[in-house]
Amino acid sequence: MSRIQLQGLTRRFGAVTAVDDIGLDVADGEFLVLLGPSGCGKSTLLRMIAGLLPPSEGRLWLDDTEITHLPPQRRDVAMVFQSYALYPHLSVARNIGFPLRTRKRPRAEIKAKVAEVAATLGLTDLLDRKPRELSGGQRQRVALGRALVRDPGAFLMDEPLSNLDAKLRAGTRAEIAGLHRRLRATTVYVTHDQVEAMTMATRIALLNEGRLEQLGTPSEVYDAPASVFAATFLGSPAMNVVDTTVRAVDGTLVAEAEGLRLSLGIDADIPDRPVRLGVRPEHLTLTSAGGQGIRAVVTAVENLGSEEVAHCDTGVSVRGPRPLGVVPGEAVTLSARPEHLHLFDHDSGRRLAWQAASVPQPV
Amino acid sequence: MTTDEVVGESSRGRRLGGHVVLGVLSLACVFPIYWLYATSLRAPQDVYSLSVLPWPLSTASYTEAFAKNDVLGMLFNTGVIAVLSALGQLLVALLAAYAFAAWRFPLQRLLYLMFVGTWLVPFQATMLPNYVLLSRLGLLETLAGVIVPTLCSALGVLLLREHLNSFPKELLDAARMDGRSSWSTLWTVVVPALRPALAALGILLAISAWNEYFWPAMVLQRSNAVVQLGLRSFMGTEGNDWGPLMATAGLACLPVFVLYLVLQRHIVNAFVRSGLK
């Protein structure tokens, strides 16, 4: 198993910079998820690690070997593609054995290895079928098998679950996570699905417009988003972000805007400062109208089964156990505990942290 | 439950009318071919007879054709030309189309347009330069002289590139990740997956090479090495020898018919795909 290091990796297509100066250190056995919206450069980054695309700048290491200029077949990495990319004219057994046949391994060894991988993935009964005779989930497992059979140093996966239906996706997600726990293989996994990222990753690298927005464990990224982008990308519904002004009132800091007043729970005295205030929908509680908090009028209530989400006219959403006890048109006041409030710099959107005896600084 | 009823189905009468028109058209297409075989099977003195059924049947025309010409040899030569010309064109087209579809290189678009542009140059414009070249190479009067100038077909490149463009690029990437070279990927991944298209194009090229008359006539001149030229020997200034002429023509058509019956689906495919003829 291997460690993957990226240093200043950049890829430009003409005037467009798809991946911009990315540095990452993926530890041996780690499951790193590259997460981001469409077009954020995550697939481009993965293709550079695979060797399918040369970087415009930067360097790559696998363990202690620099692989920046090595062709894909000489890097010890296997890739699972979004479309599975199974060879349509070959049976399942021959698809799985394909990389070994390329390496001219003895026939008996290939057969044994294919049988072993097929047993791991529950494909033993399907070995003679062609890809077109398989369901989506089975194709997905064959693609995994073709990667597994090589015993590679690292696995690269490019949105491998995006072609599956919701139910199958949940099952396969658990399978891949289980496989990773068993094999402890270094994995770099690309997805735009925050659920996959949160449930599978040991660390998430959140990308935005080709740049690394935040790198951390799923809890770190969710609980302490480094920017407005990170805050609003993870979570459903997204974190509420409101333009406010932080000012000292009676020696305590409060965030204020029209119809909004929330205490930050910090005793200090600073000049007024415009900030963006974030609070997750599940951290807002409904209090009786008229108290301190966010005053809003409910416009719609969504039933999610166990929970309900209320959307308000100010663009703020509240999420809580069903029933929330509000109806559209009702005026409500929402409050949140100070530790659940996130502050972001008004201009840069970066997270602000309070440092005692100073003004808030961008981190 | 499904039925064959079509929404907005027109009346029985109109359907019948359509069938009559189609029936007449197909009769018009099939009749000359029927007449060819009918004439070839008439006794020599009945060749000008207008009776629809050739009776009594006679193989005299075939005997005469075989006596006057080496018909089997001609069929064999024509077959060699058709097969080699089709295979050669397939190979060139496959390699060129693969390069155009799988790789990115400078001036790609321009080169492709030039490649395909040769399709627009009429045969009559290249005929003389090709002839002079063959003459200098000493290839006149040889089968090689007929085959070599046909080996590069812009049509093949055009058709195969369209197929390869819609070929999933992830398969090429997967083969690279699995350790295959570009060359090995072509033969182990692309060609097997492209088999229907290659078969269709191969058949199309073989049939047009088989039916070619003008270019073999130029290169082979007075010899009767291929069957389409052999037909000439039954045409004379004092009249045509219709019986053996029809017999030889009938034999020349046979391989194409057999090919058509066996590979019907592929051939229809080939003509539909090419959007030609």
Side-chain angles (χ1 to χ4, degrees):
Chain A
M1 293 302 121
S2 308
R3 170 186 181 197
I4 302 171
Q5 286 170 278
L6 282 58
Q7 195 184 72
L9 220 54
T10 300
R11 173 70 206 196
R12 283 182 283 270
F13 296 101
V16 181
T17 306
V19 171
D20 194 359
D21 190 23
I22 295 224
L24 279 175
D25 188 344
V26 189
D28 183 15
E30 192 171 357
F31 197 113
L32 180 85
V33 171
L34 298 177
L35 178 69
S38 303
C40 72
K42 53 192 191 300
S43 284
T44 307
L45 184 59
L46 193 77
R47 289 172 62 81
M48 284 196 282
I49 301 175
L52 293 170
L53 195 69
S56 306
E57 275 167 40
R59 299 167 77 186
L60 266 162
W61 283 268
L62 192 68
D63 284 334
D64 297 326
T65 320
E66 185 175 351
I67 57 168
T68 317
H69 302 294
L70 283 187
Q73 59 268 30
R74 289 178 53 205
R75 302 178 179 200
D76 189 20
V77 295
M79 185 150 167
V80 178
F81 292 87
Q82 184 174 8
S83 66
Y84 319 136
L86 301 181
Y87 306 115
H89 58 292
L90 298 179
S91 66
V92 168
R94 290 180 69 78
N95 258 291
I96 297 178
F98 193 87
L100 298 182
R101 282 203 303 285
T102 307
R103 286 168 179 73
K104 308 249 186 304
R105 297 280 173 74
R107 195 171 292 206
E109 182 195 325
I110 296 177
K111 210 171 163 199
K113 192 81 199 165
V114 168
E116 178 195 327
V117 167
T120 313
L121 295 168
L123 292 169
T124 309
D125 294 337
L126 307 173
L127 284 177
D128 294 327
R129 296 223 197 144
K130 290 278 173 63
R132 62 172 175 276
E133 298 159 347
L134 301 177
S135 70
Q138 290 166 338
R139 285 179 205 184
Q140 167 59 47
R141 275 183 281 152
V142 176
L144 270 177
R146 194 174 60 190
L148 280 177
V149 81
R150 289 173 48 184
D151 280 331
F155 290 98
L156 308 177
M157 303 194 186
D158 189 4
E159 309 209 20
L161 304 185
S162 60
N163 285 350
L164 301 180
D165 63 53
K167 195 177 165 197
L168 207 53
R169 203 179 299 171
T172 316
R173 207 165 61 207
E175 263 178 50
I176 293 180
L179 211 58
H180 175 254
R181 270 197 301 279
R182 253 185 297 148
L183 300 173
R184 305 250 41 109
T186 313
T187 306
V188 180
Y189 184 106
V190 163
T191 184
H192 62 265
D193 184 326
Q194 47 167 312
V195 179
E196 284 174 33
M198 293 298 288
T199 52
M200 300 167 86
T202 52
R203 276 197 303 166
I204 293 175
L206 184 64
L207 299 182
N208 181 28
E209 292 177 350
R211 291 172 164 278
L212 186 60
E213 194 80 19
Q214 186 171 8
L215 177 68
T217 64
S219 321
E220 283 167 5
V221 178
Y222 190 81
D223 295 340
S227 63
V228 171
F229 174 82
T232 50
F233 191 79
L234 280 169
S236 174
M239 183 186 278
N240 303 301
V241 178
V242 191
D243 286 336
T244 59
T245 306
V246 169
R247 60 169 57 106
V249 177
D250 301 333
T252 307
L253 296 186
V254 295
E256 275 189 343
E258 198 188 327
L260 180 151
R261 185 179 178 135
L262 288 167
S263 167
L264 299 180
I266 297 167
D267 292 331
D269 193 10
I270 57 162
D272 289 3
R273 170 171 179 164
V275 298
R276 306 187 73 184
L277 173 81
V279 55
R280 293 218 176 265
E282 63 267 31
H283 291 148
L284 282 172
T285 47
L286 294 154
T287 54
S288 55
Q292 200 185 55
I294 306 170
R295 281 195 297 281
V297 176
V298 176
T299 52
V301 179
E302 284 177 351
N303 179 355
L304 303 182
S306 62
E307 295 185 313
E308 267 182 349
V309 175
H311 299 280
C312 301
D313 58 345
T314 49
V316 171
S317 315
V318 196
R319 178 175 170 161
R322 189 162 71 101
L324 273 177
V326 291
V327 290
E330 189 175 336
V332 291
T333 303
L334 309 165
S335 62
R337 300 224 302 270
E339 66 267 30
H340 288 143
L341 299 179
H342 308 262
L343 295 184
F344 302 98
D345 185 71
H346 189 269
D347 300 322
S348 69
R350 303 302 297 178
R351 183 180 187 82
L352 298 173
W354 177 257
Q355 289 172 333
S358 79
V359 290
Q361 294 290 328
V363 288
Chain B
M1 279 281 290
T2 59
T3 64
D4 290 329
E5 276 179 58
V6 179
V7 176
E9 182 73 86
S10 55
S11 72
R12 243 182 118 77
R14 281 189 61 179
R15 225 184 323 168
L16 198 71
H19 277 95
V20 168
V21 171
L22 289 176
V24 169
L25 280 177
S26 56
L27 208 65
C29 289
V30 171
F31 184 75
I33 299 165
Y34 167 74
W35 200 251
L36 181 147
Y37 283 107
T39 307
S40 75
L41 288 169
R42 288 180 209 276
Q45 66 277 13
D46 296 340
V47 160
Y48 291 99
S49 151
L50 292 179
S51 71
V52 178
L53 282 177
W55 201 260
L57 286 177
S58 155
T59 55
S61 299
Y62 286 87
T63 321
E64 195 187 333
F66 276 93
K68 194 164 178 187
N69 273 327
D70 175 14
V71 177
L72 288 182
M74 291 192 313
L75 287 174
F76 177 78
N77 284 343
T78 318
V80 167
I81 289 177
V83 169
L84 289 185
S85 164
L87 286 181
Q89 290 186 65
L90 272 188
L91 182 70
V92 171
L94 182 65
L95 294 176
Y98 182 56
F100 280 122
W103 295 338
R104 294 280 157 270
F105 47 87
L107 300 181
Q108 184 171 26
R109 208 174 151 65
L110 180 73
L111 285 172
Y112 179 64
L113 285 178
M114 283 169 66
F115 219 117
V116 173
T118 61
W119 196 29
L120 303 177
V121 181
F123 169 73
Q124 287 78 356
T126 56
M127 169 177 89
L128 283 176
N130 273 343
Y131 184 85
V132 171
L133 208 58
L134 286 181
S135 152
R136 295 212 180 133
L137 290 170
L139 288 176
L140 287 182
E141 307 275 352
T142 67
L143 291 187
V146 181
I147 297 169
V148 172
T150 66
L151 286 185
C152 179
S153 136
L155 170 69
V157 178
L158 186 79
L159 289 183
L160 284 186
R161 196 192 85 128
E162 290 313 310
H163 276 286
L164 275 166
N165 266 354
S166 53
F167 188 80
K169 294 283 179 294
E170 285 200 337
L171 269 180
L172 301 181
D173 287 340
R176 274 178 80 192
M177 293 300 299
D178 286 342
R180 297 278 155 136
S181 64
S182 200
W183 179 252
S184 159
T185 301
L186 172 64
W187 296 108
T188 57
V189 176
V190 176
V191 168
L194 225 57
R195 226 164 17 195
L198 289 172
L201 179 61
I203 292 165
L204 181 74
L205 294 172
I207 292 180
S208 48
W210 178 278
N211 287 336
E212 184 60 50
Y213 172 81
F214 193 76
W215 181 242
M218 269 191 82
V219 177
L220 300 173
Q221 298 185 348
R222 279 167 299 279
S223 85
N224 287 336
V226 297
V227 73
Q228 315 297 355
L229 300 185
L231 295 175
R232 287 186 308 194
S233 60
F234 302 108
M235 301 171 168
T237 41
E238 62 273 16
N240 296 340
D241 212 347
W242 286 112
L245 179 61
M246 290 299 141
T248 314
L251 288 173
C253 295
L254 268 188
V256 177
F257 290 149
V258 171
L259 208 61
Y260 182 72
L261 286 178
V262 178
L263 300 168
Q264 197 174 16
R265 195 171 49 89
H266 280 305
I267 295 183
V268 172
N269 225 344
F271 286 102
V272 172
R273 277 173 207 266
S274 68
L276 293 169
K277 310 215 171 180

